[in-house]
Amino acid sequence: MSLIDATHTTPLGGPSLPQERRLVTSIPGPRSQDLLDRKAAAVPSGVGHTVPVAAVAAGGGVVVDADGNSLIDLGAGIAVTTVGNAHPKVVAAVQAQIAQFAHTCFMIAPYESYVAVAEKLNELTPGSFAKKTALFNSGAEAVENAIKIARKHTGRQAVLAFDHGYHGRTNLTMALTAKAMPYKSGFGPFAPEVYRAAASYPFRDGLTGAEAAAKTISMIEKQIGADNLAAVIIEPIQGEGGFIVPADGYLPAVVDWCRANSVVFIADEVQTGFARTGAMFASEHFGIEPDLITTAKGIAGGMPLAGVTGRAEIMDASHTGGLGGTYGGNPVACAAALATIEAYQEENLADRAVQIGRILVGRMQEAATSDPRIGEVRGLGAMIGVEFVDPATGAPDAALAGAIAKRAIAEGVIVLTCGTYGNVIRFLPPLSIDDALLNEGLDVVLGALAAA
Ligand code: PMP
């Protein structure tokens, strides 16, 4: 059975979808359950899912399922549809490009939209120096290529990643990622010459930025040796690891050390990039100018695209043919990216992220004053995490975070968890969500907390 049939009209997505939470069946309803049964039979169980629905349309701040339920979206497909699902500008750009041509392979016959996306990223990323950009398909692929470029440029092999870091599921990015379950367990051996240090986690390490940076730098100097180190890669706000915002001064101190030691500093802005944190890139909040920046997710309104942008002399390190891929910088994805970036600017979506963040933090901090299970509310812009703890010991409470998310989803609110300890609820709403819907979603989440 198709989920889209004559007896059941499927709405088009986009901002004109009714902006409401509407439950007409339990979650999952029968049509969603049909799809989940087919999924279980046809798709390996290694590919999990968080929300047991069959999505058929999305836009503004909602996702509609095959049974006609309308769920409030506080996850944006893990920070991807930041501009809003089926944004009219993106839809028009994709339709126009696919009717023109879908693919030539940029390495065979180049086209303008790739170059235009590169020009935009070179202009918008922090740093006034000359930059270049190469495009890929996924965040992990961008990270892999950033490391390749840094190694070629420096002639060194070692790479430093961090506790709580997440960079993807390919072999090299698994090695860079900290958490074993579910990302690495049983999938080794991992790429060599990857080292790991503690970064800054003020809620748990109690260190100032300067103290945490001194620890990181000491680890590098004693255990790796600056002369062996090609790159340091870090998320300016660690995403999957728990929405961890480093203490003031931490990132600038690490960047300064890298510069003094000719080590390439890579900011992985795959999750933090594109207006999410209230700036086009999170690096701006910390006053840093990374040598290379990796981007993906919010770049193209939901189309798969990723980039590595950075200092021209580093980006040019590779011999011709060393970088690329069949689909990297696909013209349809590039058309979507140009439309998406225009929408961020025209609709002042970075400012909207700040407003959304005020609501998120205000509501959660208010709850924290009377509920000691909320250990910390943190984040920037519309990237806010709430860390749940056992009030007596401060130990991470993953069961509580999981129970809240599960109940919220059953009540029609998509909310995600994260964290090395699994005890963080993370809010990543599309920036197209309206205040009323956002507040209703938070009512449900806070209701789930009260009930847990
Ligand atoms: N880096 C970061 C910081 C991420 O958050 C992610 C995805 N969650 C990735 C890399 C990997 O991106 P992708 O899933 O597109 O490969």
Side-chain angles (χ1 to χ4, degrees):
M1 184 196 76
S2 165
L3 293 169
I4 301 167
D5 65 26
T7 62
H8 192 84
T9 52
T10 302
L12 285 176
S16 58
L17 268 182
Q19 294 299 298
E20 60 183 8
R21 181 169 67 107
R22 182 180 69 237
L23 291 181
V24 297
T25 69
S26 59
I27 304 282
R31 286 169 178 273
S32 287
Q33 189 57 57
D34 278 348
L35 180 73
L36 298 178
D37 292 344
R38 283 168 55 196
K39 175 182 182 262
V43 180
S45 49
V47 184
H49 62 264
T50 305
V51 185
V53 297
V56 294
V62 299
V63 173
V64 176
D65 77 11
D67 296 288
N69 299 300
S70 174
L71 293 87
I72 298 175
D73 183 9
L74 301 183
I78 322 185
V80 171
T81 52
T82 307
V83 76
N85 236 309
H87 188 290
K89 253 186 183 285
V90 177
V91 172
V94 165
Q95 287 174 336
Q97 179 58 49
I98 193 91
Q100 210 74 40
F101 65 97
H103 176 84
T104 59
C105 189
F106 190 74
M107 303 180 305
I108 304 298
Y111 37 86
E112 187 190 358
S113 57
Y114 183 122
V115 177
V117 171
E119 289 167 347
K120 273 273 172 227
L121 292 176
N122 297 343
E123 173 200 325
L124 291 173
T125 47
S128 51
F129 38 81
K131 289 178 223 143
K132 291 193 173 181
T133 291
L135 297 177
F136 304 96
N137 302 291
S138 68
E141 204 188 347
V143 169
E144 292 256 357
N145 279 280
I147 303 294
K148 279 169 65 174
I149 291 163
R151 284 176 166 158
K152 186 83 180 183
H153 170 74
T154 57
R156 304 170 181 172
Q157 294 187 354
V159 177
L160 181 70
F162 290 89
D163 290 348
H164 312 291
Y166 181 88
H167 301 285
R169 285 179 164 91
T170 58
N171 188 262
L172 175 56
T173 59
M174 275 194 294
L176 296 168
T177 290
K179 191 173 175 178
M181 269 310 266
Y183 306 125
K184 306 169 72 161
S185 209
F187 297 140
F190 303 111
E193 283 305 305
V194 172
Y195 299 83
R196 191 175 312 288
S200 168
Y201 191 166
F203 179 64
R204 295 207 170 269
D205 68 20
L207 300 177
T208 66
E211 289 164 349
K215 242 179 102 176
T216 298
I217 291 164
S218 164
M219 180 277 168
I220 297 173
E221 291 180 340
K222 301 296 174 227
Q223 298 186 39
I224 308 172
D227 291 349
N228 301 309
L229 188 60
V232 167
I233 181 163
I234 190 164
E235 304 149 81
I237 299 174
Q238 290 182 311
E240 302 303 313
F243 279 33
I244 303 165
V245 184
D248 280 349
Y250 176 77
L251 289 173
V254 175
V255 170
D256 286 349
W257 182 90
C258 285
R259 212 132 290 160
N261 289 278
S262 304
V263 171
V264 177
F265 181 90
I266 305 170
D268 182 348
E269 291 238 23
V270 165
Q271 191 158 161
T272 52
F274 297 101
R276 174 53 53 191
T277 65
M280 205 56 175
F281 296 96
S283 293
E284 297 166 42
H285 294 292
F286 302 100
I288 58 169
E289 295 183 347
D291 297 312
L292 301 180
I293 295 185
T294 53
T295 54
K297 290 193 186 278
I299 192 173
M303 295 294 289
L305 188 70
V308 181
T309 301
R311 290 179 188 274
E313 69 274 18
I314 300 178
M315 291 298 296
D316 273 332
S318 172
H319 48 273
T320 300
L323 305 178
T326 303
Y327 293 113
N330 168 272
V332 182
C334 285
L338 293 171
T340 300
I341 292 167
E342 221 172 84
Y344 286 132
Q345 295 178 315
E346 283 176 4
E347 297 171 25
N348 296 318
L349 289 178
D351 293 345
R352 179 65 191 142
V354 172
Q355 294 166 358
I356 286 173
R358 282 202 195 107
I359 294 174
L360 287 167
V361 170
R363 298 285 311 267
M364 292 300 133
Q365 273 179 347
E366 188 192 334
T369 58
S370 60
D371 193 331
R373 297 174 297 172
I374 296 181
E376 190 176 46
V377 178
R378 57 178 179 247
L380 287 168
M383 180 174 186
I384 301 297
V386 180
E387 175 157 358
F388 291 97
V389 298
D390 176 337
T393 63
D397 191 345
L400 177 58
I404 293 167
K406 193 165 174 217
R407 186 172 177 130
I409 289 167
E411 294 184 3
V413 178
I414 298 175
V415 66
L416 311 175
T417 60
C418 67
T420 297
Y421 313 112
N423 65 324
V424 177
I425 292 272
R426 56 168 152 175
F427 297 108
L428 291 165
L431 303 180
S432 51
I433 195 168
D434 65 44
D435 286 0
L437 206 59
L438 175 62
N439 274 305
E440 185 180 342
L442 298 178
D443 290 341
V444 170
V445 171
L446 291 170
L449 170 63

